[in-house]
Amino acid sequence: AKIEIKFLKRGLKKNRFAENPALQSLERNWQQPLRNNSEESAIGNRQSAISIVRCADAESEAIFAAREILKFVRDGNRFRDCAVIVRNLDNYHKPLARIFRRYQIPFFLDRRESIAHHPLAELTRSALRTVAFDWKNEDWFAALKAGFCAAEENEIDALENAALEFGWSGKKWREPLPDESFERLRKKILPPFENFYKQLGKLKFQPTGKQLAEIFRELWEDLKIEQRLEDWREEISTASTHDSVFDQMNSLLENLELGFPNQSLPLRDWLPILESGLANLTVGVIPPVLDEVLVGAIDRARNPDLKFALVLGVNESVFPATPNAPVILTEADRNELQMPRGPDLREQLSRERFYGYLACTRASEKLMLTFSRADAEGTILNPSPFIAHLQQIFPSLEIEEFQSEIAPSEIENISEIIPLLVGDEVTSLKSNENQRLLTSSPTILKLKEDLKNLREPNPEENLSPEIAEKLYSPVLRTSVSRLEEFASCPFRFFVRSGLRAEERKVFELDARERGSFQHDVLKNFHEQIIAAGKRWRDLTPEQAREQIEKIADEQIKNFRSGLLNEAAQSRFAARAMTESLQDFVAVSIAWLREQNQFEPAAAELDFGSKENPQTAWQIDLDDNHKLALNGRIDRVDLCRDENGNAAAIVLDYKSSQKKLDALFVKHGIQLQLLAYLNVLRHWKNPREIFGVDKLNPVGVFYINLRGKFENGTREEVLSNTDESRRAAYKHTGRFDASVLVKLDSKCARDQFNYRLTKDGELYASSVEALPRAEFEKLLDRVEMQLREFGNQIFSGKADVSPYKKSKDTPCAFCDYAPACRIDPWTHKFRVLRSSKETVAEEL
């Protein structure tokens, strides 16, 4: 410091130095010990408040700064008494911000912030993109969500969800919407943007820079931008930021006018120009709170009165910074040409030394300087000349080393425990000594004190029965597929059925929309046959094909607001699904026309819906709770007898091959089809719909509407078309073996998956055909599982407990993974095992 004072006195005129009270006070403070003949004592006192630390890199410097700040604050100081000073923030603002957030240190980063994504910039960018790309939804809603349109946020969100569901995009936004409420909203938000569109249209969407600037100003005026910014200024404490943004955006429009006054360009060519201008706009930010650590560059930051200063990046070529090289003309060239001289090398070096002086004299109590051994790329760095300068002033000042491995007793933040948890035997918490040191850490002691009065968390993450009853009410109205979700993962059921969280409906031809189209066609096919007073077997396969084609063509026109006519791809998919349905119906009628005695009696049979709540299957649970099941059965086939009863088969249409898995059935993950049979078994008045007095459930089957065709050469596939189609649409499921007398024919064995011995007996290894008693027992077990699931739901079971079978888990297809956020590598899954595996594991 004495050398710096002498340097300043030489660089300043004597009378100016004498007039500077700050420098006079500084000189008196540093020379006072010398006048008292106690130079060594004074230097020793100041040396104890100064530290020089070597770190591995900029990240380690940030960690060291965070730890020292926490220690300083814990001693009774405030965050605002500290500051982190660097020469240039470019290489330090990201690690400092990341580390300070991790250590929960409030800080203010004193640097100019980009306004490229300020709401006004987003509005300007998105409005131009909306017109340039014909009102694409992503551009249109980005403009609406900027916060300047005459609508509430929830209204905009509802409009966006409807647009995704019904496919509103492009020119449809300039036309009336079919929904009355959304049409009123469209009329309220559209006029400013419609005027913007018309003004550009008058110029054939090729404005000059001057014209484009005027049109933007008109849009801002229509949206009352200044008034909205004024409202924001009153709500939050960033007034100067909004002022600066509005001024700079106006300056950007002025630059467009000056730079392209008469040059006409298409809108798509204006977009990169606008983006380039927005990218270069920055504003200064005011600190939002008072008690926070200031992080800034020495040549920009205006430091308050500080007690503690950390100077980071004191490396050669970093601080002091390397003088800028002349761009074109050197200093000698300027002298030769007698041109005005800029700052010479000596002046630049003097300025850097002055910055070093400022950085080292900001704090009144404590100063720490750090430098790195290497940069982010691994290049070796040397310490700054300032380090040697300080050691000349304080000869006994030594350079300390900051080690990345932190001892348990020195932990300052809970995040520093993680390396100890995953470390080796020597450094990890497995060591008893480290555990003892950890418990003596001031940070851990404070954490224990803060958590002392908190209740222990529930490890199972379940709800209380009272909350569960409020969520589901005494009568839980749900579907069997939802209970299958509960069996797969209780948390998934809780989020969907308890919190009513749903994913957005999107206007696209996904698997569910494909299934809906096929189900609707088959339902209309069945209804037309019944309305004509016929049965399926009364049609020939050719007649069925023609009827399916007519129904599908009509359905394609009106399905989901024209979803199947939206693009060539969807039209091709519709035609492919129609042909698959034609093949399926032709094969089914061929089976029915032979010796199969079952006949389709109902299609898309609703039970427990809002229109027919009395048809719900109710199951009594504990504590006066009930389970009311609803759903839709794809198809019910009946075989009537002379006593007014009927054997019933439930068929479920699928778009791919599916089988009942014994392990999934055992654990309740596949209950839908078997539960549907129980619905028929408990149907209150079967005479009203089915025309019989009693339904006797005898089987459940999956049907692959696409068919499962075996691989082969082209000649092999085409040589036996009928046989390959029969094999492709074979049903899979479970059924009562006693109905084999009604299915005992070659065509029936082609239709259902079972085999008979030469004596006509059922093979013992048959999986799908079961004895009558075993089949009844299976249905009873399903009903018991549903009752058990209902009781668990009302008890509050909602833990994150997905199953795992081999490598398969329900998490791969779960819509609520962002809600549970489990790590599949570390989570302990609920492993499904068969009875044999369980016994083997116990042994």
Side-chain angles (χ1 to χ4, degrees):
K2 290 185 294 181
I3 296 174
E4 293 294 348
I5 293 173
K6 292 178 181 179
F7 172 78
L8 290 172
K9 290 173 70 175
R10 287 198 302 267
L12 298 172
K13 293 181 180 180
K14 186 175 182 180
N15 58 349
R16 291 181 61 189
F17 180 81
E19 295 171 358
N20 192 321
L23 291 176
Q24 291 176 354
S25 174
L26 177 67
E27 186 177 31
R28 285 196 303 270
N29 291 338
W30 281 97
Q31 290 183 352
Q32 182 67 32
L34 300 179
R35 297 185 181 122
N36 296 332
N37 297 322
S38 55
E39 180 178 0
E40 293 183 1
S41 175
I43 293 177
N45 292 337
R46 286 167 176 78
Q47 181 175 314
S48 63
I50 302 175
S51 301
I52 302 175
V53 182
R54 182 191 291 112
C55 301
D57 49 25
E59 188 90 5
S60 297
E61 289 186 78
I63 294 174
F64 173 78
R67 289 173 50 80
E68 294 300 323
I69 289 172
L70 290 178
K71 292 178 183 177
F72 189 75
V73 172
R74 193 170 58 243
D75 290 339
N77 299 290
R78 304 292 296 270
F79 285 109
R80 66 187 180 194
D81 297 330
C82 312
V84 176
I85 303 171
V86 296
R87 178 63 183 89
N88 195 316
L89 277 170
D90 290 345
N91 297 327
Y92 280 90
H93 73 277
K94 290 184 178 179
L96 283 170
R98 181 170 59 253
I99 298 301
F100 279 22
R101 291 190 185 99
R102 183 193 305 170
Y103 281 75
Q104 300 177 341
I105 297 175
F107 67 96
F108 171 68
L109 200 60
D110 187 13
R111 66 191 299 264
R112 294 185 67 84
E113 298 289 341
S114 172
I115 64 169
H117 297 287
H118 185 272
L120 182 55
E122 287 286 357
L123 169 70
T124 305
R125 174 193 297 112
S126 301
L128 187 59
R129 290 182 61 88
T130 299
V131 178
F133 296 108
D134 194 23
W135 298 73
K136 285 187 176 180
N137 280 356
E138 52 266 31
D139 302 324
W140 170 231
F141 282 101
L144 295 179
K145 291 181 178 182
F148 298 102
C149 68
E152 300 294 332
E153 291 183 4
N154 57 345
E155 293 178 317
I156 300 299
D157 291 339
L159 181 62
E160 184 180 16
N161 289 338
L164 291 174
E165 181 177 359
F166 301 110
W168 299 337
S169 63
K171 64 179 182 180
K172 292 182 180 179
W173 291 115
R174 303 191 297 275
E175 301 172 352
L177 296 177
D179 187 277
E180 184 178 350
S181 61
F182 288 124
E183 173 59 16
R184 288 196 300 269
L185 179 59
R186 187 192 72 90
K187 289 180 178 179
K188 183 168 65 172
I189 62 178
L190 184 64
F193 298 96
E194 189 174 30
N195 182 54
F196 181 74
Y197 173 80
K198 289 180 179 179
Q199 293 297 329
L200 291 172
K202 292 177 182 178
L203 302 173
K204 298 182 179 179
F205 302 106
Q206 292 189 357
T208 64
K210 185 175 182 180
Q211 292 168 338
L212 183 60
E214 287 298 326
I215 294 173
F216 271 129
R217 291 192 183 98
E218 188 174 346
L219 174 65
W220 292 356
E221 185 177 351
D222 292 342
L223 291 173
K224 301 179 181 178
I225 297 297
E226 288 190 84
Q227 181 60 45
R228 181 55 61 92
L229 293 177
E230 180 66 29
D231 295 340
W232 289 350
R233 281 194 288 269
E234 295 176 359
E235 293 173 4
I236 56 180
S237 59
T238 56
S240 61
T241 301
H242 290 307
D243 288 338
S244 300
V245 169
F246 189 70
D247 292 340
Q248 292 208 37
M249 290 297 293
N250 275 295
S251 177
L252 175 62
L253 297 186
E254 292 173 3
N255 290 335
L256 283 179
E257 292 177 325
L258 295 174
F260 307 91
N262 300 313
Q263 188 172 357
S264 178
L265 294 174
L267 295 184
R268 297 195 181 195
D269 292 343
W270 279 115
L271 285 171
I273 298 174
L274 182 65
E275 289 287 356
S276 178
L278 292 174
N280 293 319
L281 297 182
T282 60
V283 295
V285 184
I286 297 176
V289 296
L290 294 178
D291 191 21
E292 56 189 3
V293 177
L294 175 65
V295 180
I298 187 61
D299 60 340
R300 170 179 168 79
R302 299 295 179 262
N303 307 92
D305 295 333
L306 299 175
K307 294 182 180 179
F308 181 26
L310 286 136
V311 185
L312 274 56
V314 190
N315 282 97
E316 188 178 54
S317 75
V318 179
F319 194 6
T322 305
N324 296 328
V327 181
I328 299 177
L329 299 178
T330 64
E331 186 176 346
D333 295 333
R334 290 178 176 272
N335 291 334
E336 184 70 22
L337 297 173
Q338 297 182 355
M339 296 178 62
R341 297 176 57 191
D344 59 14
L345 181 61
R346 184 182 299 275
E347 291 176 353
Q348 293 186 50
L349 290 175
S350 300
R351 183 177 65 247
E352 291 299 319
R353 293 181 66 81
F354 180 62
Y355 287 153
Y357 163 74
L358 292 178
C360 294
T361 57
R362 280 289 178 256
S364 61
E365 294 184 7
K366 190 174 183 181
L367 171 66
M368 284 189 164
L369 298 92
T370 67
F371 63 93
S372 299
R373 288 194 294 266
D375 60 11
E377 286 75 26
T379 305
I380 301 299
L381 297 177
N382 295 321
S384 167
F386 293 163
I387 301 297
H389 193 169
L390 279 174
Q391 289 182 317
Q392 288 179 1
I393 300 174
F394 305 103
S396 59
L397 184 61
E398 296 183 355
I399 297 176
E400 305 173 11
E401 286 282 347
F402 173 66
Q403 301 294 336
S404 58
E405 295 182 359
I406 300 171
S409 60
E410 298 178 357
I411 286 177
E412 292 293 335
N413 185 267
I414 199 70
S415 63
E416 296 177 345
I417 298 179
I418 296 175
L420 299 176
L421 295 175
V422 298
D424 54 28
E425 190 68 32
V426 177
T427 61
S428 71
L429 294 180
K430 297 177 183 178
S431 169
N432 293 331
E433 179 63 19
N434 282 345
Q435 291 181 14
R436 184 187 65 79
L437 294 174
L438 179 63
T439 56
S440 64
S441 169
T443 303
I444 301 302
L445 293 176
K446 183 177 184 302
L447 179 64
K448 291 175 62 177
E449 184 66 24
D450 293 340
L451 299 179
K452 183 174 63 175
N453 298 324
L454 295 181
R455 182 176 61 86
E456 287 289 332
N458 187 353
E460 296 184 354
E461 301 172 337
N462 290 333
L463 308 172
S464 65
E466 294 77 16
I467 294 178
E469 183 169 348
K470 291 180 180 179
L471 281 176
Y472 306 114
S473 74
V475 179
L476 173 58
R477 301 186 180 277
T478 187
S479 64
V480 182
S481 58
R482 296 286 180 90
L483 295 179
E484 287 180 338
E485 289 181 354
F486 178 82
S488 299
C489 178
F491 182 78
R492 182 178 179 179
F493 176 85
F494 162 68
V495 174
R496 183 171 182 178
S497 299
L499 302 182
R500 275 71 168 179
E502 295 182 358
E503 63 176 339
R504 282 177 165 180
K505 296 179 181 179
V506 182
F507 191 72
E508 63 180 7
L509 190 61
D510 56 9
R512 281 174 291 189
E513 297 297 343
R514 291 170 183 263
S516 297
F517 169 75
Q518 292 176 309
H519 283 65
D520 290 346
V521 171
L522 291 174
K523 178 183 179 182
N524 290 337
F525 176 74
H526 176 78
E527 290 176 348
Q528 289 184 9
I529 293 176
I530 299 300
K534 296 182 179 180
R535 301 173 301 169
W536 283 42
R537 67 179 70 241
D538 295 334
L539 276 66
T540 64
E542 291 74 18
Q543 291 173 336
R545 283 180 176 275
E546 293 177 1
Q547 192 165 345
I548 286 289
E549 184 176 12
K550 292 179 181 179
I551 296 172
D553 289 342
E554 187 65 28
Q555 193 75 20
I556 289 172
K557 297 177 183 178
N558 305 317
F559 184 75
R560 280 294 306 275
S561 303
L563 176 60
L564 294 176
N565 280 321
E566 184 71 14
Q569 183 179 3
S570 58
R571 290 192 292 271
F572 175 81
R575 179 50 52 193
M577 289 187 290
T578 301
E579 292 177 357
S580 296
L581 291 177
Q582 287 177 305
D583 291 341
F584 163 68
V585 171
V587 171
S588 297
I589 288 180
W591 280 329
L592 292 171
R593 289 172 64 87
E594 294 177 3
Q595 297 183 19
N596 189 339
Q597 300 179 28
F598 283 86
E599 185 67 36
E604 302 300 319
L605 177 64
D606 282 330
F607 62 93
S609 61
K610 293 181 180 179
E611 294 77 14
N612 301 299
Q614 71 280 359
T615 58
W617 178 27
Q618 290 197 2
I619 301 176
D620 293 331
L621 306 176
D622 298 340
D623 299 327
N624 297 322
H625 295 139
K626 289 186 178 181
L627 193 64
L629 296 178
N630 57 63
R632 177 179 295 178
I633 303 175
D634 292 346
R635 200 175 100 194
V636 178
D637 287 9
L638 300 180
C639 180
R640 295 175 173 84
D641 60 20
E642 62 278 2
N643 298 323
N645 301 328
I649 290 177
V650 169
L651 299 103
D652 192 44
Y653 300 137
K654 296 296 179 184
S655 58
S656 60
Q657 191 69 16
K658 187 173 182 179
K659 293 182 178 180
L660 279 175
D661 187 296
L663 192 58
F664 281 165
V665 172
K666 174 185 175 182
H667 292 275
I669 299 171
Q670 279 189 350
L671 294 181
Q672 188 178 44
L673 278 184
L674 295 167
Y676 286 171
L677 270 185
N678 276 304
V679 171
L680 296 181
R681 185 164 65 165
H682 294 278
W683 200 275
K684 295 180 179 178
N685 187 12
R687 171 66 63 178
E688 182 179 352
I689 295 178
F690 302 103
V692 295
D693 296 326
K694 183 180 179 181
L695 295 174
N696 180 26
V698 295
V700 291
F701 298 98
Y702 288 118
I703 304 176
N704 181 5
L705 295 180
R706 295 175 58 185
K708 183 183 178 182
F709 293 89
E710 300 295 336
N711 296 328
T713 64
R714 179 180 177 85
E715 292 75 12
E716 291 173 347
V717 172
L718 297 178
S719 62
N720 198 355
T721 305
D722 292 339
E723 185 175 345
S724 62
R725 285 176 179 167
R726 283 176 177 267
Y729 292 103
K730 179 178 288 189
H731 304 355
T732 61
R734 298 287 188 277
F735 60 96
D736 180 2
S738 63
V739 303
L740 291 180
V741 293
K742 302 179 179 64
L743 302 173
D744 190 12
S745 66
K746 182 179 182 301
C747 71
R749 287 193 293 273
D750 289 341
Q751 183 179 2
F752 303 104
N753 192 16
Y754 74 95
R755 291 188 303 157
L756 298 177
T757 64
K758 294 180 179 179
D759 299 330
E761 299 292 333
L762 187 68
Y763 270 97
S765 61
S766 178
V767 175
E768 299 194 353
L770 304 175
R772 178 65 185 175
E774 189 173 343
F775 188 77
E776 290 282 352
K777 184 178 179 181
L778 176 62
L779 297 182
D780 293 337
R781 187 167 67 247
V782 168
E783 185 172 347
M784 181 184 65
Q785 284 177 306
L786 294 174
R787 182 176 289 105
E788 181 180 350
F789 288 160
N791 288 326
Q792 290 178 1
I793 291 170
F794 279 107
S795 70
K797 187 174 179 59
D799 54 328
V800 182
S801 180
Y803 74 82
K804 186 173 186 180
K805 180 189 176 187
S806 184
K807 296 181 180 180
D808 300 329
T809 69
C811 303
F813 305 100
C814 182
D815 298 328
Y816 309 107
C820 73
R821 296 180 294 178
I822 64 171
D823 186 350
W825 292 94
T826 60
H827 184 77
K828 188 175 181 181
F829 287 91
R830 175 167 48 93
V831 181
L832 304 185
R833 293 184 174 89
S834 62
S835 301
K836 294 181 180 179
E837 291 175 334
T838 303
V839 172
E841 184 177 351
E842 292 175 354
L843 293 176

